[in-house]
Amino acid sequence: KKVERDFTDDRERLMAELSKLVKGSHPYHAALVRLAELEQELGNIDEAVKLLLRASKLSGDPTYWNRAAALWLTQNQPSRAIAVGKSATLESTPGRDRIRSELELARLYLSLNMNDEARLVLNSAERGLETPGVKGEQELTRAYLILRGQCFYALGEHRESSKIWQQLSESKF
């Protein structure tokens, strides 16, 4: 925040200072994200994506790779968005981070009407939700069920979708 405040009127110096922060031995993910935003503003999408992926890997937060995928979608490059999502999911830490990443990947597939692929990823997430240390996590379970219901609906499996919605309505999340 201090760097942002000190160099707010000088984009080049701000980018130089942020670059120094992210090249250190312990890069700060917020600096990576801010630098990615600046690169995006300059139209340097490749660089912005690389920085967002580093932030995602460093923080374990799939939100950042999801933002990188969204950048590729704005450039009408869905295959690159999918590649980002797959790669980030494979590199994520097993457990909560992996499940969150799989849910984001399923969401991306659904947004691209790639419903069979979304189902496969959701099947993997379902198995992950049963692992010790994750089982019973309401936030992840709720997000999974919502996506599962959307996926069944998109696949034309309305009866299965209805069962999911009923399960959600009766749950105490």
Side-chain angles (χ1 to χ4, degrees):
K1 289 183 180 183
K2 181 182 179 338
V3 171
E4 180 86 31
R5 212 175 28 248
D6 290 349
F7 300 105
T8 217
D9 295 329
D10 187 347
R11 179 182 292 192
E12 285 183 26
R13 286 197 58 203
L14 175 60
M15 289 182 75
E17 290 300 315
L18 288 171
S19 292
K20 287 179 195 174
L21 284 174
V22 301
K23 288 181 181 169
S25 60
H26 300 290
Y28 184 51
H29 79 272
L32 288 163
V33 172
R34 182 62 181 125
L35 191 54
E37 290 167 351
L38 293 168
E39 291 289 357
Q40 179 185 352
E41 289 172 14
L42 293 172
N44 300 329
I45 302 302
D46 283 326
E47 189 59 29
V49 166
K50 287 177 191 173
L51 292 163
L52 287 168
L53 292 177
R54 282 183 61 200
S56 181
K57 191 170 185 175
L58 183 66
S59 68
D61 187 346
T63 304
Y64 301 123
W65 78 250
N66 196 22
R67 285 175 61 181
L71 283 177
W72 286 131
L73 291 177
T74 64
Q75 301 296 305
N76 200 27
Q77 295 190 40
S79 61
R80 291 183 89 173
I82 291 166
V84 162
K86 284 180 171 180
S87 176
T89 299
L90 289 172
E91 292 176 11
S92 61
T93 307
R96 285 177 194 82
D97 289 346
R98 172 79 43 90
I99 294 166
R100 288 173 57 212
S101 193
E102 287 173 333
L103 295 177
E104 289 299 323
L105 182 57
R107 185 174 283 113
L108 174 61
Y109 280 136
L110 287 171
S111 75
L112 296 170
N113 204 28
M114 297 175 71
N115 304 319
D116 291 321
E117 290 84 351
R119 181 196 303 241
L120 292 173
V121 173
L122 288 168
N123 289 342
S124 177
E126 182 177 32
R127 288 188 298 275
L129 286 168
E130 295 300 318
T131 60
V134 177
K135 190 172 183 163
E137 288 228 2
Q138 292 183 353
E139 178 187 338
L140 289 175
T141 301
R142 182 176 183 278
Y144 162 77
L145 288 171
I146 290 169
L147 288 168
R148 188 73 168 187
Q150 290 173 337
C151 185
F152 279 139
Y153 188 82
L155 288 165
E157 297 178 24
H158 300 146
R159 183 169 294 182
E160 291 301 316
S161 179
S162 178
K163 288 179 188 177
I164 298 284
W165 300 130
Q166 184 67 36
Q167 184 180 355
L168 275 165
S169 71
E170 293 171 357
S171 63
K172 294 180 172 106
F173 290 115

